[in-house]
mmCIF file of all heavy atoms in Angstrom:
data_model
loop_
_atom_site.group_PDB
_atom_site.id
_atom_site.type_symbol
_atom_site.label_atom_id
_atom_site.label_comp_id
_atom_site.label_asym_id
_atom_site.label_seq_id
_atom_site.Cartn_x
_atom_site.Cartn_y
_atom_site.Cartn_z
ATOM 1 N N CYS A 112 154.561 41.353 97.413
ATOM 2 C CA CYS A 112 154.528 41.657 98.796
ATOM 3 C C CYS A 112 153.168 41.123 99.334
ATOM 4 O O CYS A 112 152.133 41.087 98.595
ATOM 5 C CB CYS A 112 154.551 43.121 99.073
ATOM 6 S SG CYS A 112 156.186 43.786 98.441
ATOM 7 N N ASP A 113 153.200 40.926 100.734
ATOM 8 C CA ASP A 113 151.891 40.268 101.352
ATOM 9 C C ASP A 113 151.603 41.034 102.629
ATOM 10 O O ASP A 113 150.746 40.681 103.400
ATOM 11 C CB ASP A 113 151.993 38.765 101.420
ATOM 12 C CG ASP A 113 153.198 38.390 102.347
ATOM 13 O OD1 ASP A 113 153.888 39.210 102.919
ATOM 14 O OD2 ASP A 113 153.299 37.190 102.288
ATOM 15 N N CYS A 114 152.288 42.098 103.038
ATOM 16 C CA CYS A 114 152.054 42.827 104.319
ATOM 17 C C CYS A 114 152.533 44.242 104.194
ATOM 18 O O CYS A 114 153.430 44.424 103.426
ATOM 19 C CB CYS A 114 152.513 42.018 105.466
ATOM 20 S SG CYS A 114 154.400 41.946 105.668
ATOM 21 N N VAL A 115 152.004 45.073 105.091
ATOM 22 C CA VAL A 115 152.595 46.457 105.140
ATOM 23 C C VAL A 115 152.999 46.770 106.590
ATOM 24 O O VAL A 115 152.334 46.481 107.494
ATOM 25 C CB VAL A 115 151.396 47.401 104.698
ATOM 26 C CG1 VAL A 115 151.807 48.910 104.920
ATOM 27 C CG2 VAL A 115 151.118 47.181 103.166
ATOM 28 N N VAL A 116 154.181 47.480 106.648
ATOM 29 C CA VAL A 116 154.663 47.914 107.943
ATOM 30 C C VAL A 116 154.445 49.434 108.001
ATOM 31 O O VAL A 116 154.599 50.219 107.134
ATOM 32 C CB VAL A 116 156.262 47.714 107.990
ATOM 33 C CG1 VAL A 116 156.841 48.259 109.272
ATOM 34 C CG2 VAL A 116 156.675 46.400 107.701
ATOM 35 N N MET A 117 153.692 49.828 109.103
ATOM 36 C CA MET A 117 153.321 51.220 109.142
ATOM 37 C C MET A 117 154.609 52.053 109.362
ATOM 38 O O MET A 117 155.536 51.728 110.011
ATOM 39 C CB MET A 117 152.422 51.368 110.428
ATOM 40 C CG MET A 117 151.067 50.870 109.996
ATOM 41 S SD MET A 117 149.978 50.694 111.587
ATOM 42 C CE MET A 117 149.394 52.417 111.812
ATOM 43 N N LEU A 118 154.521 53.307 108.704
ATOM 44 C CA LEU A 118 155.697 54.155 108.649
ATOM 45 C C LEU A 118 156.325 54.414 110.041
ATOM 46 O O LEU A 118 157.558 54.357 110.230
ATOM 47 C CB LEU A 118 155.251 55.409 108.064
ATOM 48 C CG LEU A 118 156.255 56.348 107.361
ATOM 49 C CD1 LEU A 118 156.984 55.529 106.290
ATOM 50 C CD2 LEU A 118 155.586 57.732 106.799
ATOM 51 N N GLU A 119 155.358 54.623 110.921
ATOM 52 C CA GLU A 119 155.977 55.064 112.274
ATOM 53 C C GLU A 119 156.530 54.014 113.157
ATOM 54 O O GLU A 119 157.223 54.154 114.178
ATOM 55 C CB GLU A 119 154.807 55.656 113.229
ATOM 56 C CG GLU A 119 153.520 55.000 113.208
ATOM 57 C CD GLU A 119 152.589 55.218 112.030
ATOM 58 O OE1 GLU A 119 152.990 55.412 110.972
ATOM 59 O OE2 GLU A 119 151.321 55.484 112.403
ATOM 60 N N LEU A 120 156.555 52.717 112.614
ATOM 61 C CA LEU A 120 157.268 51.606 113.223
ATOM 62 C C LEU A 120 158.555 51.194 112.605
ATOM 63 O O LEU A 120 159.100 50.122 112.787
ATOM 64 C CB LEU A 120 156.368 50.408 113.301
ATOM 65 C CG LEU A 120 154.978 50.609 113.992
ATOM 66 C CD1 LEU A 120 154.126 49.355 113.939
ATOM 67 C CD2 LEU A 120 155.284 51.019 115.529
ATOM 68 N N THR A 121 159.011 52.156 111.794
ATOM 69 C CA THR A 121 160.333 51.891 111.047
ATOM 70 C C THR A 121 161.378 52.974 111.336
ATOM 71 O O THR A 121 160.986 54.035 111.857
ATOM 72 C CB THR A 121 160.085 51.862 109.565
ATOM 73 O OG1 THR A 121 159.724 53.269 109.156
ATOM 74 C CG2 THR A 121 158.939 50.898 109.183
ATOM 75 N N THR A 122 162.586 52.609 111.260
ATOM 76 C CA THR A 122 163.691 53.684 111.098
ATOM 77 C C THR A 122 164.384 53.451 109.643
ATOM 78 O O THR A 122 164.704 52.460 109.171
ATOM 79 C CB THR A 122 164.695 53.421 112.200
ATOM 80 O OG1 THR A 122 165.072 52.088 112.227
ATOM 81 C CG2 THR A 122 164.053 53.886 113.575
ATOM 82 N N SER A 123 164.604 54.705 109.186
ATOM 83 C CA SER A 123 165.154 54.856 107.846
ATOM 84 C C SER A 123 166.630 55.198 107.934
ATOM 85 O O SER A 123 167.047 55.904 108.893
ATOM 86 C CB SER A 123 164.371 55.801 107.029
ATOM 87 O OG SER A 123 163.090 55.297 106.766
ATOM 88 N N SER A 124 167.412 54.923 106.858
ATOM 89 C CA SER A 124 168.755 55.329 106.720
ATOM 90 C C SER A 124 169.159 55.394 105.345
ATOM 91 O O SER A 124 168.499 54.752 104.459
ATOM 92 C CB SER A 124 169.641 54.475 107.567
ATOM 93 O OG SER A 124 169.438 53.106 106.986
ATOM 94 N N GLU A 125 170.224 56.060 105.096
ATOM 95 C CA GLU A 125 170.822 56.240 103.593
ATOM 96 C C GLU A 125 172.188 55.694 103.635
ATOM 97 O O GLU A 125 172.927 56.106 104.506
ATOM 98 C CB GLU A 125 170.677 57.697 103.213
ATOM 99 C CG GLU A 125 169.382 58.317 103.303
ATOM 100 C CD GLU A 125 168.630 58.210 102.048
ATOM 101 O OE1 GLU A 125 169.125 58.174 101.017
ATOM 102 O OE2 GLU A 125 167.256 58.332 102.082
ATOM 103 N N ARG A 126 172.489 54.980 102.491
ATOM 104 C CA ARG A 126 173.978 54.648 102.463
ATOM 105 C C ARG A 126 174.176 54.441 101.044
ATOM 106 O O ARG A 126 173.415 53.716 100.271
ATOM 107 C CB ARG A 126 174.162 53.188 103.090
ATOM 108 C CG ARG A 126 174.292 53.160 104.566
ATOM 109 C CD ARG A 126 174.982 52.012 105.135
ATOM 110 N NE ARG A 126 174.493 50.673 104.510
ATOM 111 C CZ ARG A 126 173.474 50.053 105.058
ATOM 112 N NH1 ARG A 126 172.637 50.514 105.964
ATOM 113 N NH2 ARG A 126 173.091 48.896 104.525
ATOM 114 N N GLU A 127 175.268 55.079 100.501
ATOM 115 C CA GLU A 127 175.709 55.013 99.125
ATOM 116 C C GLU A 127 174.632 55.148 98.153
ATOM 117 O O GLU A 127 174.345 54.111 97.294
ATOM 118 C CB GLU A 127 176.505 53.592 99.002
ATOM 119 C CG GLU A 127 177.702 53.437 99.683
ATOM 120 C CD GLU A 127 178.076 52.059 99.960
ATOM 121 O OE1 GLU A 127 177.518 51.160 99.245
ATOM 122 O OE2 GLU A 127 178.957 51.734 100.945
ATOM 123 N N ASP A 128 173.820 56.195 98.235
ATOM 124 C CA ASP A 128 172.644 56.335 97.225
ATOM 125 C C ASP A 128 171.453 55.345 97.331
ATOM 126 O O ASP A 128 170.610 55.299 96.495
ATOM 127 C CB ASP A 128 173.177 56.393 95.864
ATOM 128 C CG ASP A 128 173.692 57.797 95.534
ATOM 129 O OD1 ASP A 128 173.603 58.659 96.329
ATOM 130 O OD2 ASP A 128 174.230 57.993 94.322
#
Side-chain angles (χ1 to χ4, degrees):
Chain A
C112 300
D113 60 6
C114 66
V115 169
V116 181
M117 288 166 80
L118 202 57
E119 48 269 47
L120 300 180
T121 64
T122 47
S123 294
S124 56
E125 305 269 334
R126 287 199 310 278
E127 297 160 14
D128 277 355

